[in-house]
Amino acid sequence: MALAGTSKVVLGCIAFGIFWVMAVFPTVPFMPVGRTAGSLLGAMLMVLFRVISPEDAYAAIDLPIIGLLFGTMVVSIFLERADMFKYLGNLLSWKSRGSKDLLFRVCIVSAFASALFTNDTCCVVLTEFILKVARQNNLPPQPFLLALATSSNIGSAATPIGNPQNLVIAVESGISFGQFLLGVFPAMIVGVLTNAAILLLYFWKYLSVEKDQEGGQPEGPEVVADDEVTSHRFTPARMSHVSSLNPDDVDCISEPIIRSNSVSTSVNENLRSRSINSEADIQLAIKSLRSSSMSHEMVEVSTVPDRRDEGASSRKFTRTASQQRSVIIEDLPPSPEANGEKEKEAEVEEKRWKILVWKTAVYLITLGMLIALLMGLNMSWTAITAALVLLALDFTDAQACLEKVSYSLLIFFCGMFITVDGFNKTGIPNTLWELVEPYSRIDSAKGVALLAVVILILSNVASNVPTVLLLGTRVAASAAAISHGSERKAWLILAWVSTVAGNLTLLGSAANLIVCEQARRAQFFGYNLTFWSHLRFGVPSTIIVTAIGLLIVISY
């Protein structure tokens, strides 16, 4: 495709430049409107400048990608409600064996979570938890934040639903979920382990410092509050024959000597204990009943008031003939308040079971969605179907759940599709690619290296999703001239490099920015991850991980 007219090229570059500035620097001083508005502004300028017609602008919006993104968002929302990410967070600190073990767990958990639930979602829900764990263990937050951000980016490369650029690649290339997984998953595993090793070496000195004593109480007998002690006192009742206690023989406490202030003589009269003014003022009541038609005797006695329940609980001793006049303590018929408490407990138990069933259903539906994707079904409609089933299963108004969907991201994608398509119509991307294409063929090691460098630079300059939109079809067409298998390999190389390239700088990936902002805004465990602190680690890690992963992807 040749260059368009001069006016179209200039105006198209202006519109794309405004979009790029808004996307990379969403809070620029002269127009702090954010990425979404910047994307729509770029799209509008492309239409106003007549770089692209209104009909072509609507046609440029890739609805399958929007549908797949929407479906995965809804599924992620339900998984978060089902405490999936809470369980992942607990897994990080479960039986941890020190700082290095914790850092390794962060790398592994965040990588696998990102492959299934997108890297952005993983970073949103895990950042503050990781900060909290680091602070509580008196560890520097920087290694763990870098581990979360970089491992999430690497892990998201393994599946088509791991990040937005992979969604674009999967839809545009037609590569199935299973083929994508087989092609990139081994590289992801090796990449995450390599990144974890680099992190451990880079921060070994900081992680090896023994944490300070946190002023914890020395080991010894547990100190119990006074109220808890007095609530279990049985004074002034004296109990003997305690050695005869047996779980099979319900109770064998001999009759106590009881001192009381009032005795009730009516059989059907309910006992109520009075409020106490001091520990010595204990209200006891004795009620005796002997029935000739029954083979046992019963003596009812009130015991010490339970101070935790802010009242006195009535008790009774039961004597049976089979137990040779031994005594058992039982509760009196429950009061209306006790019946209410039992009903509440039953309701709570019923709700607990309903929640458990609901969580199980959410996990099973998500698993079914993944199986359907592995079977090669349409990814967009599979994700949308899973989302609608979850919404129907909730049996509530879906508005509350749908309000959590990031519609701003969907609108950003719509504007970006129009802007990038308009920029492509200027002919500039195609002209630049024609200059590089003869030297970046994937049938040679030098060609793969050059292609990786081009993708790496563009992903950090123009962001990874626009890079995929600009280069995807061109890289695939160049590889298709070699062989059909080379075309699929070119798409996978683009997916791997454009994703790992996000680790180069703090601005290279939205996941990096999410970790940075979430950490900075954390209420009690705030930490500022700076651009330079990320760059010092990101450059060597990105180069090494990209190179190792490329060797594995090429061999597929």
Side-chain angles (χ1 to χ4, degrees):
M1 178 180 178
L3 283 173
T6 304
S7 61
K8 191 173 184 178
V9 170
V10 173
L11 294 175
C13 288
I14 292 174
F16 185 78
I18 292 175
F19 159 76
W20 179 82
V21 172
M22 294 292 121
V24 179
F25 307 103
T27 57
V28 291
F30 62 88
M31 193 177 290
V33 295
R35 290 187 176 88
T36 302
S39 175
L40 291 177
L41 179 60
M44 181 195 69
L45 291 177
M46 286 291 184
V47 176
L48 290 179
F49 292 160
R50 296 186 178 180
V51 178
I52 186 173
S53 66
E55 293 76 15
D56 290 341
Y58 285 121
I61 299 174
D62 200 324
L63 291 179
I65 295 176
I66 299 297
L68 181 57
L69 193 59
F70 171 80
T72 53
M73 282 183 183
V74 174
V75 173
S76 296
I77 290 169
F78 274 92
L79 287 173
E80 185 176 1
R81 287 178 55 191
D83 294 332
M84 169 64 75
F85 296 99
K86 176 183 175 182
Y87 300 146
L88 291 176
N90 293 336
L91 183 62
L92 293 176
S93 57
W94 180 66
K95 293 185 179 180
S96 178
R97 297 183 178 180
S99 57
K100 300 179 183 66
D101 175 53
L102 180 60
L103 184 69
F104 184 77
R105 290 191 187 193
V106 171
C107 293
I108 299 299
V109 171
S110 58
F112 279 91
S114 296
L116 297 176
F117 314 120
T118 76
N119 53 351
D120 294 351
T121 302
C122 176
C123 290
V124 166
V125 298
L126 291 182
T127 298
E128 192 164 352
F129 180 84
I130 288 174
L131 267 178
K132 180 180 178 181
V133 172
R135 294 293 191 185
Q136 287 179 343
N137 290 276
N138 198 27
L139 297 171
Q142 182 182 346
F144 300 95
L145 294 177
L146 287 174
L148 173 62
T150 56
S151 298
S152 295
N153 286 329
I154 297 171
S156 68
T159 63
I161 60 175
N163 55 59
Q165 62 268 21
N166 281 10
L167 297 177
V168 175
I169 291 172
V171 173
E172 293 291 332
S173 66
I175 299 176
S176 67
F177 190 95
Q179 290 175 334
F180 200 108
L181 190 66
L182 290 175
V184 186
F185 185 78
M188 184 273 281
I189 294 293
V190 177
V192 169
L193 295 177
T194 303
N195 186 66
I198 297 172
L199 277 166
L200 288 171
L201 292 174
Y202 191 83
F203 294 103
W204 187 270
K205 182 176 67 175
Y206 299 97
L207 297 175
S208 298
V209 177
E210 295 183 1
K211 70 176 185 176
D212 299 334
Q213 296 295 331
E214 299 179 0
Q217 293 182 355
E219 296 182 0
E222 181 181 1
V223 179
V224 185
D226 183 66
D227 287 344
E228 294 180 344
V229 175
T230 58
S231 65
H232 296 288
R233 289 177 181 169
F234 289 89
T235 314
R238 299 178 184 174
M239 293 177 287
S240 57
H241 304 287
V242 180
S243 60
S244 62
L245 284 172
N246 192 317
D248 298 326
D249 302 330
V250 182
D251 194 14
C252 46
I253 306 175
S254 58
E255 286 185 84
I257 302 174
I258 301 171
R259 181 180 181 182
S260 69
N261 293 328
S262 61
V263 179
S264 174
T265 57
S266 176
V267 174
N268 297 322
E269 182 180 0
N270 293 328
L271 297 178
R272 291 193 177 184
S273 58
R274 303 175 183 177
S275 59
I276 58 175
N277 297 325
S278 64
E279 292 187 8
D281 185 13
I282 303 175
Q283 299 294 330
L284 301 174
I286 302 176
K287 183 178 181 180
S288 59
L289 176 64
R290 187 179 301 274
S291 176
S292 59
S293 62
M294 300 178 64
S295 62
H296 65 274
E297 298 178 348
M298 184 178 296
V299 179
E300 296 183 349
V301 187
S302 67
T303 62
V304 182
D306 191 344
R307 304 187 62 158
R308 291 178 297 181
D309 296 333
E310 297 182 357
S313 61
S314 300
R315 304 283 182 178
K316 65 181 180 180
F317 290 93
T318 304
R319 177 185 303 156
T320 63
S322 62
Q323 294 176 322
Q324 299 297 326
R325 300 181 62 85
S326 56
V327 180
I328 182 171
I329 302 177
E330 296 179 352
D331 289 337
L332 281 176
S335 63
E337 292 81 0
N339 288 332
E341 291 179 358
K342 289 184 178 180
E343 291 177 359
K344 290 180 180 179
E345 290 179 359
E347 291 178 1
V348 170
E349 187 67 23
E350 182 180 359
K351 289 180 179 179
R352 185 181 293 112
W353 276 104
K354 287 182 179 179
I355 292 173
L356 180 61
V357 171
W358 179 82
K359 286 183 178 181
T360 304
V362 171
Y363 298 147
L364 290 176
I365 292 171
T366 304
L367 181 62
M369 181 190 75
L370 296 176
I371 293 174
L373 293 174
L374 287 172
M375 292 174 62
L377 298 181
N378 184 279
M379 286 188 286
S380 178
W381 282 108
T382 298
I384 292 175
T385 302
L388 292 178
V389 171
L390 288 173
L391 289 172
L393 182 69
D394 208 27
F395 290 105
T396 57
D397 190 351
Q399 181 179 357
C401 179
L402 293 177
E403 285 177 351
K404 297 180 180 180
V405 173
S406 179
Y407 295 103
S408 60
L409 180 61
L410 300 178
I411 296 172
F412 171 81
F413 265 75
C414 293
M416 181 180 61
F417 286 138
I418 297 172
T419 305
V420 172
D421 190 61
F423 188 60
N424 281 330
K425 290 185 181 300
T426 64
I428 293 177
N430 192 66
T431 302
L432 294 176
W433 175 249
E434 287 178 354
L435 297 175
V436 178
E437 192 270 341
Y439 309 100
S440 58
R441 292 178 176 269
I442 64 171
D443 56 351
S444 66
K446 291 182 179 179
V448 172
L450 179 59
L451 178 62
V453 171
V454 171
I455 298 172
L456 193 68
I457 294 174
L458 277 179
S459 295
N460 281 274
V461 172
S463 188
N464 41 27
V465 180
T467 296
V468 168
L469 292 173
L470 289 170
L471 292 181
T473 55
R474 294 175 174 86
V475 172
S478 176
I482 302 173
S483 67
H484 179 70
S486 298
E487 181 181 0
R488 182 175 60 187
K489 188 179 297 182
W491 281 112
L492 296 179
I493 290 173
L494 182 61
W496 173 255
V497 179
S498 64
T499 301
V500 180
N503 289 339
L504 189 69
T505 68
L506 189 62
L507 302 176
S509 168
N512 297 345
L513 297 174
I514 289 172
V515 171
C516 179
E517 288 300 308
Q518 291 282 106
R520 185 175 61 85
R521 296 177 181 179
Q523 185 174 3
F524 299 108
F525 310 98
Y527 180 82
N528 184 24
L529 182 64
T530 64
F531 178 88
W532 296 109
S533 63
H534 188 286
L535 185 69
R536 284 193 295 268
F537 171 78
V539 170
S541 172
T542 303
I543 294 174
I544 296 173
V545 172
T546 302
I548 294 175
L550 272 177
L551 295 175
I552 300 175
V553 173
I554 291 173
S555 63
Y556 170 63

